[in-house]
Amino acid sequence: MSSNKILVFASPIYSLKTTDGGPSGFLAQNLSGFKSDLYDLSAQDCPYPSLGQRFHKKLGKFFNLDKQKLIDAGIEKVNRFECWIRSSQEHFFDIKASNYKFIYFHDVWTLKSCLPLIRPDQIILFQPHCPELPSEEIESQKVFSPGDIEWTKEAQRDAFSRANILIFPNSYVLDIYGSLLSHASKIFYINSAARKVTHLRHFPLNEKIHLLYIGRRNKIKGFDLILEGFREAYKQRKDINLLLLGSGQETNLEGVYDIGFTDAVHQWIYNCDFVVNCNRQSYFDLSVLETLSIGTPIILTDTNGHHQLVEDGSAGIINMGPPDSTALKEVLLSSKIKKKAENLAAVTANQTLYEKKYSDSLYRKNLEQLFGKILAEYR
């Protein structure tokens, strides 16, 4: 077993694209493509098994050698998570995760899938990335079965219980996971971050003020508040447009342009005048950090993890207070809402804040310091 490095376990479910959200985008932006003496990212730093090893593994699977481990992980209880459990356990074997004393997981589903393979003496680090309990996130989506929901509830309890160390971006997110924390929970904090966005290009948009929404169209993201607040503001000023990025039911409202899912998120952030974030609960949205690096001003609710951004006091962040459509309407009708070309001080303030606190290079430096402390403590 190796005690020299921490294994950052990237689920094979993750595509590790910089345009992804959640753990996949977080790891892609901050760790993918970089080497360290203190940690390995499983998707890039761990040797893939040879052809002979893969054949032996497939032969073993044919004879159901791993069946009990899959059952122990709960594969008989789930529907859509069956592939997640299988691929996580396969990845665990492929990269020889048992050789590491320290393993760092980034979601409850992967950690739950691998629990039957983890030895009692292995040290587990865990960082969730959801703005709500994972079970609440799953329960809000109709594609998941009752078994998937119950398994996720079990997964989140087991993940927080097994983790030796919990990692969060700040203390303000603890309210989200309070029901899963205990007095024995050992917690470390490290600022979230995003890779600086480059290779931006100009879109020939019209002269109106363009507001941008990014993400899923659900309650936790405050999508309904954004539509209502914009609709009321649009009645009084026609010089604003709202652009929607992300998957979901198509929206047809005057002044609203539904772009849908796109890989050109960063280009739209760059070309719009404001990014609007009305989360009812917030972890620390990757899209907000990307927006900071580009400089585009942000309209933001003061919720959970995003309270840190309010405290940062950037002139490029408009705090609209608690999530409320009337509050958003009032912001949109204020003189603060103007073209980005007339708002360059706000752009500079956001870019400066990004370089000072939220760049990916600073994150890797802070992560190595944290990992060095953890390795020293547990040796």
mmCIF file of all heavy atoms in Angstrom, residues 328-350:
data_model
loop_
_atom_site.group_PDB
_atom_site.id
_atom_site.type_symbol
_atom_site.label_atom_id
_atom_site.label_comp_id
_atom_site.label_asym_id
_atom_site.label_seq_id
_atom_site.Cartn_x
_atom_site.Cartn_y
_atom_site.Cartn_z
ATOM 1 N N LEU A 328 -35.196 40.535 -7.362
ATOM 2 C CA LEU A 328 -34.541 40.499 -8.665
ATOM 3 C C LEU A 328 -35.117 41.587 -9.571
ATOM 4 O O LEU A 328 -34.363 42.283 -10.262
ATOM 5 C CB LEU A 328 -34.697 39.130 -9.306
ATOM 6 C CG LEU A 328 -34.127 39.002 -10.724
ATOM 7 C CD1 LEU A 328 -32.636 39.295 -10.746
ATOM 8 C CD2 LEU A 328 -34.407 37.617 -11.297
ATOM 9 N N LYS A 329 -36.420 41.733 -9.573
ATOM 10 C CA LYS A 329 -37.045 42.770 -10.397
ATOM 11 C C LYS A 329 -36.483 44.147 -10.056
ATOM 12 O O LYS A 329 -36.150 44.940 -10.952
ATOM 13 C CB LYS A 329 -38.553 42.767 -10.192
ATOM 14 C CG LYS A 329 -39.290 43.812 -11.028
ATOM 15 C CD LYS A 329 -40.711 44.031 -10.555
ATOM 16 C CE LYS A 329 -40.734 44.859 -9.276
ATOM 17 N NZ LYS A 329 -42.108 45.267 -8.898
ATOM 18 N N GLU A 330 -36.348 44.424 -8.767
ATOM 19 C CA GLU A 330 -35.843 45.734 -8.340
ATOM 20 C C GLU A 330 -34.404 45.950 -8.788
ATOM 21 O O GLU A 330 -34.027 47.061 -9.180
ATOM 22 C CB GLU A 330 -35.969 45.856 -6.823
ATOM 23 C CG GLU A 330 -37.419 45.948 -6.352
ATOM 24 C CD GLU A 330 -37.560 45.884 -4.845
ATOM 25 O OE1 GLU A 330 -36.531 45.670 -4.163
ATOM 26 O OE2 GLU A 330 -38.685 46.042 -4.343
ATOM 27 N N VAL A 331 -33.602 44.901 -8.732
ATOM 28 C CA VAL A 331 -32.222 45.013 -9.224
ATOM 29 C C VAL A 331 -32.217 45.298 -10.721
ATOM 30 O O VAL A 331 -31.484 46.165 -11.202
ATOM 31 C CB VAL A 331 -31.428 43.727 -8.917
ATOM 32 C CG1 VAL A 331 -30.099 43.723 -9.675
ATOM 33 C CG2 VAL A 331 -31.176 43.593 -7.421
ATOM 34 N N LEU A 332 -33.049 44.558 -11.465
ATOM 35 C CA LEU A 332 -33.077 44.717 -12.919
ATOM 36 C C LEU A 332 -33.590 46.088 -13.344
ATOM 37 O O LEU A 332 -33.256 46.559 -14.444
ATOM 38 C CB LEU A 332 -33.929 43.617 -13.549
ATOM 39 C CG LEU A 332 -33.424 42.178 -13.368
ATOM 40 C CD1 LEU A 332 -34.338 41.195 -14.089
ATOM 41 C CD2 LEU A 332 -31.986 42.030 -13.851
ATOM 42 N N LEU A 333 -34.374 46.739 -12.502
ATOM 43 C CA LEU A 333 -34.887 48.078 -12.822
ATOM 44 C C LEU A 333 -33.958 49.187 -12.336
ATOM 45 O O LEU A 333 -34.200 50.364 -12.613
ATOM 46 C CB LEU A 333 -36.273 48.270 -12.197
ATOM 47 C CG LEU A 333 -37.402 47.414 -12.777
ATOM 48 C CD1 LEU A 333 -38.696 47.625 -12.004
ATOM 49 C CD2 LEU A 333 -37.603 47.711 -14.260
ATOM 50 N N SER A 334 -32.891 48.808 -11.645
ATOM 51 C CA SER A 334 -31.982 49.814 -11.088
ATOM 52 C C SER A 334 -30.975 50.289 -12.127
ATOM 53 O O SER A 334 -30.788 49.677 -13.189
ATOM 54 C CB SER A 334 -31.237 49.239 -9.884
ATOM 55 O OG SER A 334 -30.259 48.293 -10.304
ATOM 56 N N SER A 335 -30.300 51.374 -11.789
ATOM 57 C CA SER A 335 -29.292 51.953 -12.686
ATOM 58 C C SER A 335 -28.020 51.112 -12.747
ATOM 59 O O SER A 335 -27.149 51.367 -13.588
ATOM 60 C CB SER A 335 -28.943 53.372 -12.221
ATOM 61 O OG SER A 335 -28.439 53.343 -10.885
ATOM 62 N N LYS A 336 -27.904 50.102 -11.877
ATOM 63 C CA LYS A 336 -26.728 49.224 -11.896
ATOM 64 C C LYS A 336 -26.700 48.347 -13.147
ATOM 65 O O LYS A 336 -25.634 47.850 -13.526
ATOM 66 C CB LYS A 336 -26.715 48.329 -10.662
ATOM 67 C CG LYS A 336 -26.588 49.063 -9.340
ATOM 68 C CD LYS A 336 -26.654 48.088 -8.176
ATOM 69 C CE LYS A 336 -26.559 48.805 -6.839
ATOM 70 N NZ LYS A 336 -26.656 47.856 -5.703
ATOM 71 N N ILE A 337 -27.864 48.149 -13.760
ATOM 72 C CA ILE A 337 -27.954 47.253 -14.915
ATOM 73 C C ILE A 337 -27.683 48.058 -16.181
ATOM 74 O O ILE A 337 -28.517 48.854 -16.623
ATOM 75 C CB ILE A 337 -29.339 46.576 -14.966
ATOM 76 C CG1 ILE A 337 -29.618 45.858 -13.646
ATOM 77 C CG2 ILE A 337 -29.416 45.609 -16.144
ATOM 78 C CD1 ILE A 337 -28.558 44.841 -13.247
ATOM 79 N N LYS A 338 -26.510 47.832 -16.742
ATOM 80 C CA LYS A 338 -26.077 48.567 -17.926
ATOM 81 C C LYS A 338 -25.143 47.698 -18.751
ATOM 82 O O LYS A 338 -24.725 46.613 -18.320
ATOM 83 C CB LYS A 338 -25.378 49.863 -17.515
ATOM 84 C CG LYS A 338 -24.287 49.695 -16.473
ATOM 85 C CD LYS A 338 -23.856 51.040 -15.921
ATOM 86 C CE LYS A 338 -22.945 50.902 -14.708
ATOM 87 N NZ LYS A 338 -22.588 52.209 -14.132
ATOM 88 N N LYS A 339 -24.818 48.184 -19.930
ATOM 89 C CA LYS A 339 -23.933 47.434 -20.820
ATOM 90 C C LYS A 339 -22.558 47.255 -20.177
ATOM 91 O O LYS A 339 -22.075 48.121 -19.439
ATOM 92 C CB LYS A 339 -23.795 48.149 -22.158
ATOM 93 C CG LYS A 339 -25.068 48.211 -22.977
ATOM 94 C CD LYS A 339 -25.504 46.833 -23.463
ATOM 95 C CE LYS A 339 -24.573 46.270 -24.525
ATOM 96 N NZ LYS A 339 -25.054 44.925 -25.009
ATOM 97 N N LYS A 340 -21.942 46.119 -20.468
ATOM 98 C CA LYS A 340 -20.639 45.831 -19.868
ATOM 99 C C LYS A 340 -19.595 46.857 -20.277
ATOM 100 O O LYS A 340 -18.692 47.185 -19.489
ATOM 101 C CB LYS A 340 -20.201 44.416 -20.260
ATOM 102 C CG LYS A 340 -18.990 43.933 -19.502
ATOM 103 C CD LYS A 340 -18.882 42.424 -19.427
ATOM 104 C CE LYS A 340 -18.908 41.731 -20.743
ATOM 105 N NZ LYS A 340 -18.656 40.281 -20.595
ATOM 106 N N ALA A 341 -19.726 47.392 -21.467
ATOM 107 C CA ALA A 341 -18.777 48.420 -21.927
ATOM 108 C C ALA A 341 -18.830 49.668 -21.058
ATOM 109 O O ALA A 341 -17.862 50.433 -20.996
ATOM 110 C CB ALA A 341 -19.067 48.776 -23.380
ATOM 111 N N GLU A 342 -19.962 49.882 -20.390
ATOM 112 C CA GLU A 342 -20.118 51.021 -19.482
ATOM 113 C C GLU A 342 -19.870 50.619 -18.032
ATOM 114 O O GLU A 342 -20.094 51.416 -17.120
ATOM 115 C CB GLU A 342 -21.535 51.587 -19.616
ATOM 116 C CG GLU A 342 -21.900 52.005 -21.040
ATOM 117 C CD GLU A 342 -23.390 52.291 -21.177
ATOM 118 O OE1 GLU A 342 -24.093 52.274 -20.142
ATOM 119 O OE2 GLU A 342 -23.847 52.515 -22.305
ATOM 120 N N ASN A 343 -19.410 49.403 -17.822
ATOM 121 C CA ASN A 343 -19.303 48.828 -16.477
ATOM 122 C C ASN A 343 -17.930 48.186 -16.268
ATOM 123 O O ASN A 343 -17.808 47.161 -15.596
ATOM 124 C CB ASN A 343 -20.407 47.770 -16.312
ATOM 125 C CG ASN A 343 -20.833 47.574 -14.876
ATOM 126 O OD1 ASN A 343 -20.484 48.354 -13.999
ATOM 127 N ND2 ASN A 343 -21.593 46.513 -14.634
ATOM 128 N N LEU A 344 -16.909 48.791 -16.830
ATOM 129 C CA LEU A 344 -15.584 48.166 -16.857
ATOM 130 C C LEU A 344 -14.952 48.060 -15.476
ATOM 131 O O LEU A 344 -14.150 47.153 -15.226
ATOM 132 C CB LEU A 344 -14.670 48.936 -17.802
ATOM 133 C CG LEU A 344 -15.089 48.888 -19.286
ATOM 134 C CD1 LEU A 344 -14.090 49.664 -20.143
ATOM 135 C CD2 LEU A 344 -15.212 47.455 -19.766
ATOM 136 N N ALA A 345 -15.304 48.962 -14.556
ATOM 137 C CA ALA A 345 -14.763 48.866 -13.195
ATOM 138 C C ALA A 345 -15.234 47.580 -12.523
ATOM 139 O O ALA A 345 -14.474 46.932 -11.790
ATOM 140 C CB ALA A 345 -15.181 50.083 -12.376
ATOM 141 N N ALA A 346 -16.482 47.202 -12.802
ATOM 142 C CA ALA A 346 -17.018 45.957 -12.249
ATOM 143 C C ALA A 346 -16.307 44.749 -12.848
ATOM 144 O O ALA A 346 -16.011 43.774 -12.148
ATOM 145 C CB ALA A 346 -18.524 45.872 -12.512
ATOM 146 N N VAL A 347 -16.038 44.800 -14.143
ATOM 147 C CA VAL A 347 -15.314 43.717 -14.818
ATOM 148 C C VAL A 347 -13.931 43.534 -14.210
ATOM 149 O O VAL A 347 -13.515 42.411 -13.870
ATOM 150 C CB VAL A 347 -15.208 43.994 -16.327
ATOM 151 C CG1 VAL A 347 -14.316 42.959 -17.007
ATOM 152 C CG2 VAL A 347 -16.595 44.008 -16.973
ATOM 153 N N THR A 348 -13.220 44.630 -14.047
ATOM 154 C CA THR A 348 -11.875 44.576 -13.463
ATOM 155 C C THR A 348 -11.910 44.048 -12.037
ATOM 156 O O THR A 348 -11.043 43.262 -11.633
ATOM 157 C CB THR A 348 -11.230 45.972 -13.497
ATOM 158 O OG1 THR A 348 -11.146 46.423 -14.850
ATOM 159 C CG2 THR A 348 -9.834 45.948 -12.892
ATOM 160 N N ALA A 349 -12.914 44.461 -11.265
ATOM 161 C CA ALA A 349 -13.026 44.014 -9.870
ATOM 162 C C ALA A 349 -13.205 42.500 -9.792
ATOM 163 O O ALA A 349 -12.611 41.837 -8.937
ATOM 164 C CB ALA A 349 -14.191 44.730 -9.187
ATOM 165 N N ASN A 350 -14.023 41.943 -10.661
ATOM 166 C CA ASN A 350 -14.236 40.491 -10.658
ATOM 167 C C ASN A 350 -12.973 39.739 -11.066
ATOM 168 O O ASN A 350 -12.617 38.714 -10.473
ATOM 169 C CB ASN A 350 -15.391 40.120 -11.581
ATOM 170 C CG ASN A 350 -16.739 40.294 -10.917
ATOM 171 O OD1 ASN A 350 -16.823 40.575 -9.724
ATOM 172 N ND2 ASN A 350 -17.809 40.130 -11.684
#
